[in-house]
Amino acid sequence: MNPVDEGAAQARPAAQEIEPILVWHPKAEQYRSALTQRLPGVPIEVRTGAPRAPSPSEAGVLLGWALPPDAFAQLPRLRWMQATGAGVDDLLARADLPAGVTVTRSLGRFGAQTAEYVVGYLLHQLLHVEDYRRNQDRGTWKQLPRPLLADRTIGIVGLGSVGLAIAERLAAFGTTVYGVTRRGRPLPHVRNVYTRDDWRSMLPECDALVLAAPLTDATRRMIDDEALRALPDNAVLVNVGRGALVEPEAMLDALRDGHLSAAVLDVFETEPLPPDSPLWTEPGAWVTPHVAAPSEVDGIADEFAANYQRLLNGESLHNVVDRAQGY
Ligand code: GLV
């Protein structure tokens, strides 16, 4: 099993010589210039897609995302890979990812970005932005109810750096925040933290349910028909985690019969969302193309460079993925 941040002393590599870096990423050239500034003198090779023929690399360290299918077979010396995103479900699911490679993930500004996305869409609904626009187009003067986020109870599934940032912002508005984590330990800004055994008991109180959990065997399809029906009528679902956290048919049914008043969806089982998906035209669905928390080259380069320095110093790496847990 791979080391995790807490108590990873046994995983400490010895201090060592400069290690060549491979950046394998759609934005590899941008990362090259960002890393050259931060790690002068370190050899950096870049790849953007699949090379025409497999071509072995001498790099022991990889910074990457969305690697082509046979990528790891071309990296015989690889010891450490940092993903430029936070969710590593696709990476861990790869049969070619060698067991001995340490995987780290990036935190970026994903928490702040996602929190603004979530709060923005929730306020958009509470403020009746769409209704007033439509009424304006018709020349209609009509006042609608004006609840506050402080009147709402919102459940957050997954309280990692993203879920906690959402909780913090919502708590600042006075929202009652509930949350779900693996172990249910108390956390700031969260009134009650539930575990994977008792989380369904919070659902009847949740005016909105926000999904910010990693996709693992334990979380796949956890938002099933029973969970959706346990939410109050007119609840809002927001998915900024992974599409496969939700049973798609159950969600569509709950939208169509009005049990869910809206589903704000940034992530889908298949991305891009296929042209024939009913979600495109479902009035209660708000589809965005996986943009809640884009990776920003400079911030990720800072994180990676700091971790690289830790590697050279023989210190344990930050944000090591526990492969057994899946995040
Ligand atoms: C993107 O979804 C990520 O996991 O960073």
Side-chain angles (χ1 to χ4, degrees), residues 65 85-87 242 290:
W65 190 258
R242 286 289 183 262
H290 205 137

Side-chain angles (χ1 to χ4, degrees), residues 199-200 203 209 211 219-231 245-251 254:
W199 68 281
R200 286 173 194 263
L203 296 174
L209 187 66
L211 311 181
T219 62
R220 188 177 300 276
R221 305 278 164 115
M222 75 184 273
I223 309 303
D224 52 14
D225 187 61
E226 190 191 329
L228 292 169
R229 297 293 156 183
L231 293 167
L245 296 171
V246 182
E247 290 231 13
E249 292 304 324
M251 178 176 69

Side-chain angles (χ1 to χ4, degrees), residues 82-83 85-88 103-107 161 303 318-321 327:
Q82 177 142 341
V88 289
V103 176
T104 55
R105 60 199 192 97
S106 300
L107 302 185
S161 59
E303 261 181 77
H318 283 155
N319 301 314
V320 174
V321 170
Y327 60 92

Side-chain angles (χ1 to χ4, degrees), residues 22-172:
L22 170 64
V23 180
W24 203 335
H25 196 281
K27 293 185 186 165
E29 284 300 344
Q30 289 178 51
Y31 276 108
R32 191 211 305 259
S33 33
L35 291 177
T36 304
Q37 287 166 24
R38 287 160 178 83
L39 301 170
V42 178
I44 300 173
E45 178 193 343
V46 296
R47 298 181 181 190
T48 46
R52 237 170 267 132
S55 114
S57 165
E58 280 311 297
V61 170
L62 170 65
L63 177 65
W65 190 258
L67 304 174
D70 59 346
F72 289 105
Q74 301 171 46
L75 308 175
R77 288 194 60 250
L78 187 67
R79 302 188 298 130
W80 164 42
M81 169 180 178
Q82 177 142 341
T84 58
V88 289
D89 44 291
D90 278 348
L91 178 63
L92 298 189
R94 293 175 65 118
D96 66 336
L97 175 67
V101 170
T102 299
V103 176
T104 55
R105 60 199 192 97
S106 300
L107 302 185
R109 297 202 295 171
F110 305 144
Q113 292 166 321
T114 309
E116 290 194 4
Y117 175 98
V118 171
V119 171
Y121 272 92
L122 292 173
L123 284 176
H124 177 268
Q125 225 217 4
L126 291 189
L127 290 169
H128 303 289
V129 174
E130 293 289 310
D131 299 321
Y132 286 129
R133 178 80 239 178
R134 253 193 312 273
N135 288 350
Q136 179 184 344
D137 292 343
R138 295 186 200 116
T140 301
W141 180 277
K142 184 181 175 207
Q143 296 172 335
L144 298 168
R146 177 70 180 88
L148 296 178
L149 279 175
D151 304 325
R152 295 294 198 243
T153 297
I154 296 181
I156 303 174
V157 179
L159 292 169
S161 59
V162 169
L164 265 185
I166 299 168
E168 182 186 3
R169 271 64 165 187
L170 287 174

Side-chain angles (χ1 to χ4, degrees), residues 266-284:
D266 188 51
V267 287
F268 304 89
E269 277 200 89
T270 306
E271 295 182 7
L273 185 64
D276 62 350
S277 167
L279 291 170
W280 285 113
T281 52
E282 175 56 42

